[in-house]
């Protein structure tokens, strides 16, 4: 852990010498880089991390016009910024938990430590409305978002498929409280429904044209090696047994019962995709290739599931 701390001397130096927003972005970038914070919750470099912290704390949008970057800050604004920068560096708290905001599929969402910080490559699939697997001519009326967390995926799905009902399920009541905040913020209470469910336990008898699952999938080895930032996230949303596939097993075993005849299942397993072939030899999973980064998502149809598990 870092030994960085806001001393009286550092406070006076920064308050006196750092005048503008641009100054603070530069200085914060330098501190993040030198203190070795980990970037993995929406950014991948020190500058973007600084922008994602400094501007929201100043109640400014991430696309603040360039001409405003030379605006001078008040002393109280500077001291407030220092406090957040110290927390980010010393406690390794992800920026999204400090600002209570994360972006997914181009939309902002409320987040706190009851849910994972959104970062799924599903955003790319949703933006493409799951083409080519789902054609424009197909009717998608019921969608299941499995392990919804903040409901960012469910809400993005609702925007992409405005005629569809989206059930957003999660085992965690805490996560569903956050999901409800976001559903209400987007005024989607009549389209997106937050449901407590241990995988399928809360939706018995329901069938869907599309199931999108982003379950916990970090294996035991990776859990032991996670950077400290990830330990602020709920372990329930990350860990899934020795091979990272405990929840995925249940999803696959029962998925056919909850899919319509032409239904599709998309599952994200991240790095645990390396364990899938050993667990499901010869399975008909099609691994999605992403244009904008990401891996470990497969798609399989109801019929393929029936054929594979009934062989």
């Amino acid at each position: 852990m870092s030994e960085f701390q806001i001393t009286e001397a550092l406070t006076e130096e920064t308050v006196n010498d750092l005048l503008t927003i641009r100054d603070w972005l530069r200085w914060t970038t330098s501190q993040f880089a030198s203190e070795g914070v980990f970037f993995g919750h929406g950014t991948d470099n020190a500058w973007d991390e600084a922008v994602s912290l400094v501007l929201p704390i100043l109640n400014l949008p991430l696309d603040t016009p360039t001409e405003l970057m030379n605006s001078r800050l008040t002393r109280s604004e500077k001291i407030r910024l220092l406090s957040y920068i110290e927390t980010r560096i010393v406690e390794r708290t992800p920026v999204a938990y400090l600002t209570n905001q994360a972006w997914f599929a181009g939309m902002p969402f409320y987040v706190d430590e009851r849910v994972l910080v959104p970062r799924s490559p599903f955003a790319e699939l949703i933006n493409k409305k799951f083409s080519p697997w789902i054609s424009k001519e197909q009717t998608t009326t019921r969608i299941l978002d499995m392990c919804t967390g903040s409901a960012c995926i469910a809400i993005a799905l609702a925007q992409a498929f405005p005629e569809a009902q989206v059930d957003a399920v999660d085992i965690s009541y805490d996560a569903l409280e956050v999901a409800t905040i976001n559903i209400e913020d987007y005024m989607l209470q009549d389209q997106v429904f937050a449901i407590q469910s241990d995988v399928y336990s809360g939706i018995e008898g329901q069938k869907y044209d599309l199931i999108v699952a982003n379950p916990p999938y970090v294996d035991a080895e990776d859990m032991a090696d996670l950077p400290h930032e990830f330990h602020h996230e709920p372990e329930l949303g990350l860990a899934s047994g020795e091979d990272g596939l405990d929840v995925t097993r249940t999803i696959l075993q029962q998925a056919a019962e909850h899919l319509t005849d032409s239904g599709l299942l998309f599952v994200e397993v991240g790095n645990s995709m390396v364990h899938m072939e050993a667990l499901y030899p010869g399975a008909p999973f099609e691994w999605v290739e992403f244009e904008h980064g990401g891996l470990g998502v497969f798609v399989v149809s109801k019929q393929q599931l029936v054929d594979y598990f009934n062989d």
Side-chain angles (χ1 to χ4, degrees):
M1 293 294 292
S2 170
E3 296 182 0
F4 179 93
Q5 59 179 319
I6 303 298
T7 62
E8 183 176 345
L10 180 60
T11 299
E12 287 307 307
E13 178 186 33
T14 54
V15 167
N16 292 334
D17 294 349
L18 303 178
L19 305 179
T20 67
I21 297 171
R22 192 184 306 278
D23 291 341
W24 278 87
L25 286 171
R26 198 284 307 158
W27 185 82
T28 304
T29 299
S30 297
Q31 301 311 308
F32 287 168
S34 64
E35 294 296 330
V37 300
F38 182 82
F39 312 118
H41 290 92
T43 70
D44 60 7
N45 63 82
W47 172 261
D48 288 343
E49 188 85 352
V51 168
S52 69
L53 177 63
V54 171
L55 294 181
I57 295 304
L58 295 173
N59 295 310
L60 293 170
L62 295 181
D63 59 352
T64 294
T66 303
E67 53 267 28
L68 284 182
M69 291 300 182
N70 290 324
S71 300
R72 294 164 67 99
L73 300 182
T74 65
R75 181 180 180 87
S76 61
E77 286 177 322
K78 295 174 182 179
I79 291 173
R80 187 163 182 255
L81 275 177
L82 273 175
S83 175
Y84 280 96
I85 294 165
E86 181 180 36
T87 302
R88 175 67 186 94
I89 292 172
V90 175
E91 299 182 17
R92 293 299 200 246
T93 306
V95 165
Y97 292 151
L98 297 175
T99 62
N100 293 124
Q101 185 182 81
W103 289 77
F104 179 79
M107 297 182 290
F109 293 93
Y110 173 87
V111 296
D112 59 32
E113 295 193 17
R114 291 175 288 180
V115 297
L116 300 185
V117 177
R119 50 184 175 272
S120 172
F122 270 126
E124 182 177 319
L125 286 173
I126 295 169
N127 288 336
K128 293 181 177 180
K129 298 185 179 181
F130 291 84
S131 175
W133 297 277
I134 297 178
S135 68
K136 293 181 180 178
E137 293 74 28
Q138 285 180 261
T139 301
T140 302
T141 59
R142 296 207 68 197
I143 301 174
L144 174 62
D145 174 28
M146 180 73 68
C147 307
T148 193
S150 63
C152 62
I153 289 177
I155 290 167
L157 285 164
Q159 304 278 25
F161 299 93
E163 302 302 316
Q165 172 184 316
V166 182
D167 289 345
V169 308
D170 205 290
I171 191 174
S172 167
Y173 286 102
D174 285 343
L176 291 172
E177 290 178 359
V178 177
T180 299
I181 291 170
N182 285 312
I183 292 167
E184 292 176 352
D185 282 350
Y186 280 93
M187 295 182 290
L188 289 170
Q189 300 95 314
D190 294 332
Q191 187 185 1
V192 181
F193 301 92
I195 301 168
Q196 197 281 331
S197 181
D198 183 357
V199 192
Y200 302 105
S201 68
I203 49 170
E204 291 184 11
Q206 302 299 307
K207 291 185 180 291
Y208 301 90
D209 303 305
L210 172 64
I211 298 177
V212 176
N214 184 14
Y217 56 69
V218 182
D219 64 29
E221 182 179 355
D222 283 349
M223 279 298 297
D225 295 334
L226 283 177
H228 193 78
E229 278 83 351
F230 291 95
H231 293 287
H232 287 271
E233 297 187 293
E235 185 174 340
L236 186 64
L238 292 170
S240 193
E242 189 66 26
D243 62 1
L245 298 174
D246 283 2
V247 179
T248 300
R249 287 179 177 82
T250 304
I251 291 172
L252 284 168
Q253 288 163 0
Q254 301 176 33
E257 302 170 28
H258 295 277
L259 285 167
T260 57
D261 288 344
S262 60
L264 294 172
L265 168 68
F266 286 80
V267 184
E268 181 176 345
V269 295
N271 290 338
S272 291
M273 65 185 295
V274 299
H275 303 297
M276 288 291 291
E277 187 172 347
L279 185 60
Y280 299 105
F285 306 139
E286 179 182 352
W287 294 95
V288 177
E289 294 185 10
F290 292 97
E291 293 179 15
H292 305 295
L295 52 76
V297 174
F298 67 84
V299 55
V300 62
S301 69
K302 173 176 179 171
Q303 191 57 54
Q304 288 173 319
L305 287 168
V306 170
D307 292 344
Y308 181 78
F309 284 106
N310 289 343
D311 274 353

Short mmCIF file of all heavy atoms in Angstrom, two decimals, residues 15 21 23 67 81 94 104 156 158 178 194 198 217 230 250 260 268 290:
data_model
loop_
_atom_site.label_atom_id
_atom_site.label_comp_id
_atom_site.label_asym_id
_atom_site.label_seq_id
_atom_site.Cartn_x
_atom_site.Cartn_y
_atom_site.Cartn_z
N VAL A 15 -2.39 23.86 -2.56
CA VAL A 15 -3.37 24.96 -2.56
C VAL A 15 -2.77 26.23 -3.13
O VAL A 15 -3.43 26.98 -3.87
CB VAL A 15 -3.91 25.19 -1.13
CG1 VAL A 15 -4.68 26.51 -1.05
CG2 VAL A 15 -4.81 24.03 -0.70
N ILE A 21 -8.16 24.01 -12.97
CA ILE A 21 -8.59 22.63 -13.16
C ILE A 21 -7.50 21.85 -13.90
O ILE A 21 -7.16 20.72 -13.54
CB ILE A 21 -9.91 22.56 -13.94
CG1 ILE A 21 -11.03 23.23 -13.17
CG2 ILE A 21 -10.28 21.11 -14.26
CD1 ILE A 21 -12.32 23.39 -13.95
N ASP A 23 -4.31 22.38 -13.89
CA ASP A 23 -3.22 22.10 -12.95
C ASP A 23 -3.53 20.87 -12.11
O ASP A 23 -2.66 20.01 -11.89
CB ASP A 23 -3.01 23.31 -12.01
CG ASP A 23 -2.44 24.53 -12.71
OD1 ASP A 23 -1.86 24.37 -13.81
OD2 ASP A 23 -2.58 25.63 -12.15
N GLU A 67 -12.07 25.22 -22.79
CA GLU A 67 -11.85 26.59 -22.30
C GLU A 67 -12.10 26.72 -20.80
O GLU A 67 -11.58 27.64 -20.15
CB GLU A 67 -12.73 27.58 -23.06
CG GLU A 67 -14.21 27.25 -23.09
CD GLU A 67 -14.60 26.45 -24.33
OE1 GLU A 67 -13.73 25.72 -24.86
OE2 GLU A 67 -15.76 26.57 -24.75
N LEU A 81 -10.77 18.25 -3.08
CA LEU A 81 -10.13 17.38 -4.06
C LEU A 81 -9.00 16.57 -3.43
O LEU A 81 -8.87 15.36 -3.67
CB LEU A 81 -9.57 18.20 -5.22
CG LEU A 81 -10.51 18.55 -6.37
CD1 LEU A 81 -9.79 19.44 -7.37
CD2 LEU A 81 -11.02 17.30 -7.05
N PRO A 94 -11.88 2.45 -5.68
CA PRO A 94 -12.15 2.80 -7.08
C PRO A 94 -12.86 4.14 -7.20
O PRO A 94 -13.70 4.49 -6.35
CB PRO A 94 -13.07 1.65 -7.54
CG PRO A 94 -12.68 0.50 -6.68
CD PRO A 94 -12.38 1.11 -5.33
N PHE A 104 -21.69 2.96 -18.54
CA PHE A 104 -21.83 1.69 -19.25
C PHE A 104 -22.69 1.94 -20.48
O PHE A 104 -23.75 2.56 -20.38
CB PHE A 104 -22.49 0.63 -18.36
CG PHE A 104 -22.69 -0.70 -19.05
CD1 PHE A 104 -21.63 -1.58 -19.19
CD2 PHE A 104 -23.92 -1.05 -19.57
CE1 PHE A 104 -21.80 -2.80 -19.84
CE2 PHE A 104 -24.10 -2.26 -20.23
CZ PHE A 104 -23.04 -3.14 -20.36
N ALA A 156 -29.59 -0.89 -20.24
CA ALA A 156 -29.10 -0.76 -21.61
C ALA A 156 -29.89 -1.68 -22.55
O ALA A 156 -30.20 -1.31 -23.69
CB ALA A 156 -27.61 -1.08 -21.67
N ALA A 158 -32.99 -2.60 -22.14
CA ALA A 158 -34.31 -1.99 -22.29
C ALA A 158 -34.29 -0.87 -23.32
O ALA A 158 -35.25 -0.68 -24.08
CB ALA A 158 -34.81 -1.47 -20.95
N VAL A 178 -29.58 -0.99 -5.25
CA VAL A 178 -28.89 -0.12 -6.20
C VAL A 178 -29.55 -0.21 -7.58
O VAL A 178 -29.74 0.81 -8.26
CB VAL A 178 -27.39 -0.48 -6.29
CG1 VAL A 178 -26.69 0.38 -7.34
CG2 VAL A 178 -26.72 -0.32 -4.93
N ALA A 194 -36.72 -5.53 -11.08
CA ALA A 194 -35.68 -6.08 -10.21
C ALA A 194 -36.27 -7.20 -9.37
O ALA A 194 -37.25 -6.99 -8.64
CB ALA A 194 -35.11 -4.98 -9.32
N ASP A 198 -31.84 -16.53 -6.75
CA ASP A 198 -30.58 -17.28 -6.76
C ASP A 198 -30.54 -18.05 -8.07
O ASP A 198 -31.13 -19.12 -8.19
CB ASP A 198 -30.51 -18.22 -5.55
CG ASP A 198 -29.19 -18.98 -5.47
OD1 ASP A 198 -28.36 -18.82 -6.39
OD2 ASP A 198 -29.01 -19.74 -4.51
N TYR A 217 -17.25 -14.87 -11.81
CA TYR A 217 -16.49 -15.88 -12.55
C TYR A 217 -14.99 -15.88 -12.23
O TYR A 217 -14.21 -16.49 -12.96
CB TYR A 217 -16.69 -15.70 -14.06
CG TYR A 217 -16.35 -14.33 -14.61
CD1 TYR A 217 -15.03 -13.89 -14.68
CD2 TYR A 217 -17.34 -13.49 -15.11
CE1 TYR A 217 -14.71 -12.65 -15.20
CE2 TYR A 217 -17.04 -12.24 -15.64
CZ TYR A 217 -15.73 -11.83 -15.68
OH TYR A 217 -15.40 -10.60 -16.20
N PHE A 230 -9.99 -4.17 -6.14
CA PHE A 230 -11.11 -5.09 -6.31
C PHE A 230 -11.68 -5.57 -4.98
O PHE A 230 -12.82 -6.07 -4.93
CB PHE A 230 -10.68 -6.28 -7.17
CG PHE A 230 -10.43 -5.91 -8.60
CD1 PHE A 230 -9.16 -5.60 -9.04
CD2 PHE A 230 -11.47 -5.84 -9.51
CE1 PHE A 230 -8.92 -5.24 -10.36
CE2 PHE A 230 -11.25 -5.49 -10.84
CZ PHE A 230 -9.97 -5.19 -11.26
N THR A 250 -24.70 -23.82 -13.03
CA THR A 250 -26.15 -23.80 -12.79
C THR A 250 -26.88 -23.08 -13.91
O THR A 250 -27.94 -23.53 -14.36
CB THR A 250 -26.46 -23.12 -11.45
OG1 THR A 250 -25.73 -23.79 -10.42
CG2 THR A 250 -27.93 -23.17 -11.13
N THR A 260 -37.13 -19.57 -24.79
CA THR A 260 -38.10 -19.90 -25.82
C THR A 260 -37.41 -20.78 -26.87
O THR A 260 -36.19 -20.91 -26.87
CB THR A 260 -38.66 -18.63 -26.47
OG1 THR A 260 -37.57 -17.87 -27.02
CG2 THR A 260 -39.41 -17.78 -25.44
N GLU A 268 -20.95 -14.34 -19.82
CA GLU A 268 -19.58 -13.83 -19.67
C GLU A 268 -18.87 -14.62 -18.58
O GLU A 268 -19.37 -14.73 -17.46
CB GLU A 268 -19.60 -12.34 -19.30
CG GLU A 268 -18.20 -11.74 -19.14
CD GLU A 268 -18.22 -10.25 -18.86
OE1 GLU A 268 -19.28 -9.61 -19.05
OE2 GLU A 268 -17.17 -9.72 -18.44
N PHE A 290 -14.75 -9.37 -29.96
CA PHE A 290 -15.12 -7.97 -29.76
C PHE A 290 -14.19 -7.05 -30.53
O PHE A 290 -12.98 -7.29 -30.60
CB PHE A 290 -15.06 -7.62 -28.27
CG PHE A 290 -16.12 -8.32 -27.45
CD1 PHE A 290 -15.84 -9.49 -26.75
CD2 PHE A 290 -17.41 -7.79 -27.38
CE1 PHE A 290 -16.81 -10.13 -26.00
CE2 PHE A 290 -18.38 -8.42 -26.64
CZ PHE A 290 -18.09 -9.59 -25.94
#
